[in-house]
Amino acid sequence: MPIVQIHLIEGRTVDQKRALVEKVTAAVCETVNVTPEHVKIILSDMAKHDYAIGGVLKLDAQK
Amino acid sequence: MPIVQIHLIEGRTVDQKRALVEKVTAAVCETVNVTPEHVKIILSDMAKHDYAIGGVLKLDAQK
Amino acid sequence: MPIVQIHLIEGRTVDQKRALVEKVTAAVCETVNVTPEHVKIILSDMAKHDYAIGGVLKLDAQK
Amino acid sequence: MPIVQIHLIEGRTVDQKRALVEKVTAAVCETVNVTPEHVKIILSDMAKHDYAIGGVLKLDAQK
Amino acid sequence: MPIVQIHLIEGRTVDQKRALVEKVTAAVCETVNVTPEHVKIILSDMAKHDYAIGGVLKLDAQK
Amino acid sequence: MPIVQIHLIEGRTVDQKRALVEKVTAAVCETVNVTPEHVKIILSDMAKHDYAIGGVLKLDAQK
């Protein structure tokens, strides 16, 4: 049942995403008593011009 | 008022999306007593490397 | 695979929600070529003081 | 703490997005008593074939 | 068209929420060239045991 | 930066939620190269009448 959505700044490799979903699924199963096949994970990549902290785009925050 | 967000594995045609939003809107109107113009639908396509079940990316699950 | 999230103004009965998830699932299956067991639906009820159109809370819009 | 997600029809320039996150952050800070660095904003662009009102895709609504 | 979802730690008054949706709607209209009636805002209150930074619940972070 | 939203069937204890956010944060840090303070997690509890698989509410699926 747990449905997990993870918003990330774009740029991670498929290998990083493989490890991410594997480890997050294990963490969820271990702590809220479900089995892996019930855990769904959606990854949402964000461009640096689509994320802001403190009113400043990530794109501009790194200049 | 109902706002519907549908996460789908990418690859559906615009025609499939046309039919999807039409039929889902009708289903919502029919069951929770609203009129069509109040129903908004957001479709979110996901790449196969951005969705996982049981800790395995959809990309890898089909190999 | 399709994951559907539906935001609704609170107040619908469980029977209305039963019909809603049944009809929306059928609409999704019929149009994007999946089978029912792959369709997950999350219903999110909203209080009238937690939804706004045009800068006015639903709570106030009905006075 | 406030996390804001804004779904927009695609096509806005980076400058428009700069102004959007700046002004929305100021609006949030001014009204719910937080400081800017605590406000996170995620912008989600939508293609016109991924948004519908009244069962009609935005793509088709403008023909 | 813009749909805004704002996640907040619970506890704000309805008056604060009134001001929040009014000012955020104005900020959106001013920067991405839409009129107020097209801006929808969903407010999602979170309990302090349902939000975490750095692996620590907000509930525990204030002890 | 990673923002994680986890939808769960309601009923978990605060202790389970403590362990969940701790382990998920560690899993994210370990795999996508960020430090804990950048990881935000939102937990969304769902009533059994607000989640459905295959067109059937979780509430009814257990009868």
Side-chain angles (χ1 to χ4, degrees):
Chain A
M1 154 56 247
I3 293 176
V4 181
Q5 186 168 3
I6 305 176
H7 298 269
L8 289 168
I9 292 289
E10 63 187 5
R12 271 57 179 211
T13 65
V14 173
D15 273 344
Q16 282 181 299
K17 291 184 174 182
R18 273 192 189 99
L20 175 63
V21 298
E22 188 190 325
K23 302 274 186 189
V24 166
T25 298
V28 171
C29 292
E30 186 190 322
T31 53
V32 298
N33 195 19
V34 293
T35 49
E37 71 279 11
H38 290 115
V39 180
K40 279 75 183 176
I41 300 181
I42 298 171
L43 303 179
S44 302
D45 277 350
M46 292 181 299
K48 291 184 177 177
H49 57 256
D50 282 334
Y51 181 64
I53 298 178
V56 178
L57 293 178
K58 181 85 173 172
L59 179 72
D60 299 329
Q62 297 176 325
K63 287 174 183 169
Chain B
M1 155 50 242
I3 293 177
V4 182
Q5 187 167 5
I6 306 176
H7 298 270
L8 290 167
I9 293 289
E10 64 186 5
R12 270 60 179 211
T13 65
V14 173
D15 273 343
Q16 283 181 300
K17 291 184 173 183
R18 271 192 191 100
L20 175 63
V21 298
E22 188 190 324
K23 300 275 186 190
V24 167
T25 298
V28 172
C29 292
E30 187 190 322
T31 55
V32 297
N33 194 20
V34 292
T35 48
E37 70 280 10
H38 291 116
V39 180
K40 280 74 183 177
I41 300 181
I42 299 171
L43 303 180
S44 301
D45 277 349
M46 295 181 298
K48 291 183 176 176
H49 57 258
D50 282 334
Y51 182 64
I53 300 178
V56 177
L57 293 177
K58 180 87 174 170
L59 179 72
D60 298 329
Q62 297 177 323
K63 287 176 184 168
Chain C
M1 156 50 251
I3 293 176
V4 182
Q5 186 168 5
I6 305 176
H7 298 270
L8 290 168
I9 293 289
E10 63 186 5
R12 270 58 180 213
T13 65
V14 174
D15 273 345
Q16 281 180 301
K17 291 185 175 182
R18 273 192 189 99
L20 175 63
V21 298
E22 188 191 324
K23 301 275 185 191
V24 166
T25 298
V28 172
C29 292
E30 186 189 323
T31 54
V32 296
N33 195 20
V34 293
T35 49
E37 70 279 12
H38 290 116
V39 180
K40 279 75 182 175
I41 299 180
I42 298 171
L43 304 180
S44 302
D45 277 349
M46 293 181 298
K48 289 183 178 176
H49 57 258
D50 281 335
Y51 182 64
I53 299 177
V56 178
L57 294 178
K58 181 87 174 169
L59 179 72
D60 299 330
Q62 296 177 325
K63 287 174 182 169
Chain D
M1 152 53 259
I3 293 177
V4 182
Q5 188 168 2
I6 306 177
H7 298 271
L8 290 167
I9 292 289
E10 64 186 6
R12 270 59 180 211
T13 65
V14 173
D15 273 345
Q16 282 181 301
K17 291 184 173 183
R18 272 193 189 98
L20 175 63
V21 298
E22 188 191 324
K23 301 276 185 191
V24 166
T25 298
V28 171
C29 291
E30 187 189 322
T31 55
V32 297
N33 195 20
V34 292
T35 48
E37 70 279 12
H38 291 115
V39 180
K40 279 75 183 176
I41 300 181
I42 298 171
L43 304 179
S44 301
D45 278 349
M46 295 180 298
K48 290 184 177 176
H49 57 258
D50 282 334
Y51 182 64
I53 299 177
V56 178
L57 293 177
K58 180 86 172 171
L59 179 73
D60 298 329
Q62 296 177 325
K63 286 175 184 168
Chain E
M1 154 55 245
I3 294 177
V4 182
Q5 186 167 7
I6 306 176
H7 298 270
L8 290 167
I9 292 289
E10 63 185 6
R12 270 58 180 213
T13 65
V14 173
D15 273 343
Q16 282 181 301
K17 292 184 173 183
R18 273 192 189 99
L20 175 64
V21 298
E22 188 190 324
K23 300 274 186 190
V24 166
T25 298
V28 171
C29 291
E30 186 189 325
T31 54
V32 297
N33 195 20
V34 294
T35 49
E37 70 278 12
H38 291 115
V39 180
K40 278 77 181 176
I41 300 181
I42 299 171
L43 303 180
S44 302
D45 276 352
M46 294 180 298
K48 291 184 177 177
H49 57 258
D50 282 334
Y51 182 64
I53 300 177
V56 177
L57 293 177
K58 180 88 173 168
L59 178 72
D60 299 330
Q62 297 178 325
K63 287 174 183 168
Chain F
M1 156 48 255
I3 294 177
V4 181
Q5 187 168 4
I6 306 177
H7 298 270
L8 290 167
I9 293 288
E10 62 186 6
R12 270 56 179 215
T13 65
V14 173
D15 273 344
Q16 283 181 300
K17 291 183 174 184
R18 272 192 191 100
L20 175 63
V21 298
E22 188 190 324
K23 301 274 186 191
V24 166
T25 299
V28 171
C29 292
E30 186 190 324
T31 54
V32 298
N33 195 20
V34 293
T35 49
E37 71 277 13
H38 290 117
V39 180
K40 279 75 184 176
I41 300 180
I42 299 171
L43 303 180
S44 302
D45 277 349
M46 294 181 298
K48 291 184 177 176
H49 57 258
D50 282 335
Y51 182 64
I53 300 178
V56 177
L57 293 177
K58 180 87 172 169
L59 179 72
D60 299 329
Q62 297 177 323
K63 287 175 183 168

